[in-house]
Amino acid sequence: MTHLPSPNQYESSLPKLKSMCIVGHTTDTTTKIWVRTFQPGQWCLVLVNDANIQQVKGTLNAFTSHPNDACFSASGIVKATLNTDEKYDNCECVTIENLTPNTRYYYYLFAYGDTYDQLPRKIERGMAIEHAFCTDEANPNWQNFSFGFYSCHDPFGHRSISDGLWPDFGEVLEDKNTRFVIGGGDQVYCDTHGKRSRRQAKKQKPIIEDLWVWLSKHKNDLYNAYMEGEELNTEGVIDYLAKLYRIYYRVYWNFDSLRTVYCSYPQYMMWDDHEIMDGWGSLTRDQRIDKLSSFWQDDEDHINSKIARLAYQAAKRAYLDYQHLHNPDTNVSNRQYDIVDKQQQWDYGFIKGPIGVYMLDTRSHHDVEHQADGARLLGPEQMTRFLQWLNTTAASGVKALFIVTAVPVVHWNDTVMNNMDLLLKIFGAMDDAIDEWGNETNITERNNLLEQVFKASHANQIPITFLSGDVHCSSAFNLKSPNYTNAKVMNITSSAISRKPPPAMASVAIEGSKSMYRSTHIEVENVFEMAGKNNFLVVDIEEKDNSLSIKANIYYGKPNDDELQCAQIDII
């Protein structure tokens, strides 16, 4: 007999998200809207343009209105139906077409069909709290706009539960002509807060279970529960663990300040290690086995190894349901789980007026043990896709490119980090070091990547800026090379929006201005560094008389500060 709890009992004492909407990938005539509903069923999204909203608001009643009411029949009002299913934690995303460029749409999530008849309240989202977004401008009409960037959302690291700088982020975005927001990784943390204990409770610190600590205790019960004869029901194990992973999203995203940003601006997201496990891809098979080993259990290496791999598959499904569904479509967007790992595409690119953005995936193909040198972070397939996009887009007439990589190309002092392996192992930070582009295991791939970026920037005379998170500090570097005198390359890091940052003295470990570690021609210039405070990034883009100005604004401070500090960095 096993003692495996129901997934519904996991973190049952913590408040969880019930219903929510996210605006996803948006163009001038289309948008993706993601929903999570408190129960499965039939639902209908109704989008109302500016011209009709006042008339519609005057007739709405949360308990009697219906999507088919006459007030929703005017030109410029668009509807889309969808079904949510418990199998996917009631998450679904719909693409809505035939929208008008540069138009503000207000949207409502209605119960529909049989669900409408079952529920007393018919409007689930959009009435009590306004839900609205703006479609893109039609090219070439883009002029002055902004976009936001954040990473590392973790409300449980402080003395009390804190949404960090999310309220400030929302206020800054609202004050600008914000057209989209990038989530640069670690939108949830499944793995860093240890196990629940009386000692923690006595300290009155907020606590949430570390999934991998929980697995080390329950993996044998999990394995035995899904053994069918001599075969393990792997799909059953993945489904069980995916339910646990999804609970983290429901806990971590259950903050009004975060949800307000998510429902108001198109969101583009990419995961990092904490959506899976700390250091995923930087640990060997033996190290993953050790992570699940327990002195008090009759451990078998093959079980630990199997459970670790199945947990990764479960984490991918949760990431797909909550984050990737509302990104631009790739070959996994329709929940095709049978595509082999190396052929799955989680990376993607998009164009917004004068700029192009590419979201690199530094986790799903990261394998320090089995990938060849020069391909350990991105893998060869992703690198091929990215370079094709880079060269095509750079030559397409865009004025600037941004490359999102969760781990920075340059941030820490790589000379020091690569010569203190023993200390890193003692303090359990070796996997964090191996995560980085500047680690010895990734140098070849980093140099190959930078060579192509410098070439594209130089040949097309456009700035290319890496945007990064991960490190819980902020920094900005100019990268220069005598081989590519027309190139303009930068790396700007903003982390973390809500996770408790390291002390200010951590800045001593940030790279200075000097030759890039193990590069034959690249010099790095430190133009900004900051540790000890939460932060986020807003990029302002102004175009006038065919001249482009791009400024990066790093806002930083402590939660509940009356006013944040802001460092402005000229990209061009």
Side-chain angles (χ1 to χ4, degrees), residues 31 38 48 75 101 104 119 147 172 199 216 259 331 352 363 408 486 498:
T31 190
F38 71 94
V48 183
S75 175
R104 187 166 181 79
L119 298 179
F147 70 87
V172 173
R199 183 169 173 267
S216 70
R259 294 199 302 267
N331 67 354
K352 295 286 184 179
R363 286 301 161 187
N486 292 328
S498 59

Side-chain angles (χ1 to χ4, degrees), residues 37 39 41-44 81-82 84 109-112 115 119 124:
T37 58
Q39 72 170 47
Q42 297 173 279
W43 304 87
C44 182
T81 58
L82 64 152
T84 57
L109 178 63
F110 277 85
Y112 199 63
T115 309
L119 298 179
E124 179 60 20

